Amino acid sequence: MSKPDPRTAPFGSLFTDFMAVAGFSNGQWSSPVLQATGPLSLHPAAHVLHYSSSCFEGFKAYRSPGGGAHVFRLDRHIERLRHSARLLVLPEPDAALLREMVLSLVDRVRAEVPEAPGALYLRPILFGTTPNVGAAAHPATEATLLVLASPVWDYFAGGAKPLRIQMEPASRTAPHLGVVKMGGNYAAALGPTLAARAQHKVDQVLFCPNGEVQETGAANFLLFRRNHVLTRSLDSTFLHGVTRDSLLTLARDMGYQVEERIVTVDETLEWVKSGEAALSGTAAVLSGVGTLIWQDQHHHVGDGQIGPVTQELRAALVAVQRGVVADKFGWLTRV
Ligand SMILES: *Cc1c(COP(=O)(O)O)cnc(C)c1O
């Protein structure tokens, strides 16, 4: 039977035949195994189902130009999952364990890593499995760590379209949990995002509590001008994107002034009269914003099209990710 084609399948809807799995019980992790991707057996009292003890990661492996494959910023993503696990009081996997799971999985399914502009999207997930509905105020003592792999294509294969974004005075999540990559934060952002979509036909909501710009439901927010990048400084209220960090590193290296500090709504609306705005994240890399809506007023970002700095930084990052330029910062792990 021929497999569905990643070029035409919706992002994240196809999976490789194998996934990597490890379990935590009696205070230790089991040796990881590769097994057929398919349903799990889970007790209905599992901690995650009742008390949302779960976090995840998302990053990509690419087909290398000279053959083989490589993973982009694997160590950063491993550290972020461990940080999420600590903040949710889940058993924290050793970096070496998760690294082995990812690399052995990519090795096993290497024939399914799409060529550019596709990639293999990797999705580790960690969740509490202790069967005890009385454990509301207790951490899970048993957990599962698994890594799924999904062949994906370029988000913008049909051409990049400038995004319409609604700015909302609401918070995306509890202030101390924005930094955790957890499904509960997505559930919290879904209602406001659907309401905004229905109201103004926007693509995303940019959360701006207390008049300060935070991030959208699943991407970081950056402002650009010629030789200047401005974005919110790191704190616990939002997710510290690896794409964000990579773009800031490349921009500095290209001679841009990179400013990280609190950015207000007022300042953002002033900036976009002549500057650019974009969203960053693993799935779509860097997406230009064409319109910002604030208190029912539409504000064009520049001329409403995707600007030159957005295009330049996106191209620079994609070249490193695909391995077509030198890996100057040691971001690629060969498989
Ligand atoms: C994953 C995620 C991002 C983007 O992070 P990357 O490491 O760049 O993929 C941004 N915001 C939220 C809420 C996320 O979950």
Side-chain angles (χ1 to χ4, degrees):
M1 198 182 79
S2 76
K3 292 208 167 195
D5 188 343
R7 270 172 269 230
T8 51
F11 185 96
S13 65
L14 289 186
F15 297 97
T16 56
D17 290 341
F18 289 90
M19 60 183 183
V21 186
F24 184 88
S25 61
N26 300 318
Q28 58 184 14
W29 287 98
S30 65
S31 302
V33 293
L34 293 176
Q35 66 186 57
T37 302
L40 301 169
S41 154
L42 199 62
H43 195 284
H47 200 270
V48 61
L49 298 179
H50 301 264
Y51 306 119
S52 292
S53 48
S54 106
C55 55
F56 66 97
E57 266 307 317
F59 50 94
K60 287 176 177 168
Y62 300 81
R63 184 162 288 237
S64 306
H70 59 265
V71 182
F72 183 69
R73 305 207 69 176
L74 176 59
D75 294 338
R76 264 288 176 131
H77 287 282
I78 288 174
E79 280 317 312
R80 194 168 67 186
L81 184 86
R82 283 158 51 81
H83 186 232
S84 293
R86 280 198 293 281
L87 293 183
L88 294 179
V89 204
L90 271 159
E92 187 180 326
D94 294 335
L97 170 72
L98 183 50
R99 194 181 160 86
E100 180 191 339
M101 289 171 71
V102 170
L103 296 179
S104 62
L105 178 61
V106 175
D107 183 39
R108 182 70 183 73
V109 303
R110 65 169 65 243
E112 292 178 76
V113 181
E115 76 272 25
L120 187 68
Y121 180 76
L122 294 157
R123 169 55 69 90
I125 174 160
L126 170 66
F127 51 92
T129 55
T130 314
N132 179 2
V133 295
H138 298 280
T141 52
E142 293 166 27
T144 297
L145 174 63
L146 66 86
V147 183
L148 281 171
S150 173
V152 296
W153 206 243
D154 186 353
Y155 236 65
F156 299 118
K161 209 168 98 290
L163 298 172
R164 279 167 69 83
I165 303 286
Q166 179 158 324
M167 301 170 87
E168 281 286 332
S171 191
R172 173 178 174 258
T173 174
H176 65 300
L177 290 181
V179 71
V180 181
K181 205 165 178 76
M182 56 184 279
N185 286 346
Y186 280 72
L190 195 53
T193 303
L194 294 188
R197 263 187 211 153
Q199 193 187 2
H200 286 299
K201 300 210 177 337
V202 295
D203 299 296
Q204 288 294 333
V205 167
L206 178 60
F207 292 92
C208 305
N210 312 315
E212 295 175 5
V213 174
Q214 228 169 37
E215 65 170 331
T216 65
N220 294 136
F221 183 78
L222 301 105
L223 293 168
F224 303 134
R225 283 188 203 297
R226 193 31 68 196
N227 296 322
H228 192 176
V229 179
L230 173 61
T231 194
R232 186 184 177 93
S233 40
L234 299 180
D235 61 31
S236 68
T237 65
F238 76 106
L239 205 282
H240 303 175
V242 177
T243 314
R244 171 192 178 280
D245 179 79
S246 306
L247 288 163
L248 299 189
T249 303
L250 288 174
R252 278 193 193 96
D253 191 56
M254 290 158 78
Y256 281 79
Q257 177 201 348
V258 174
E259 213 183 333
E260 293 175 79
R261 59 171 170 79
I262 297 292
V263 182
T264 65
V265 170
D266 293 344
E267 184 177 15
T268 299
L269 295 176
E270 193 58 37
W271 179 289
V272 300
K273 286 180 183 167
S274 58
E276 302 174 32
L279 301 184
S280 76
T282 293
V285 187
L286 189 63
S287 317
V289 176
T291 308
L292 289 174
I293 299 168
W294 171 245
Q295 295 174 340
D296 295 327
Q297 301 282 335
H298 287 56
H299 300 259
H300 277 298
V301 178
D303 61 3
Q305 300 305 310
I306 295 171
V309 177
T310 304
Q311 294 183 44
E312 180 186 44
L313 290 178
R314 178 184 159 83
L317 179 54
V318 166
V320 181
Q321 290 174 330
R322 291 188 191 161
V324 298
V325 295
D327 177 21
K328 201 167 159 175
F329 302 100
W331 286 344
L332 310 187
T333 304
R334 304 273 311 172
V335 188

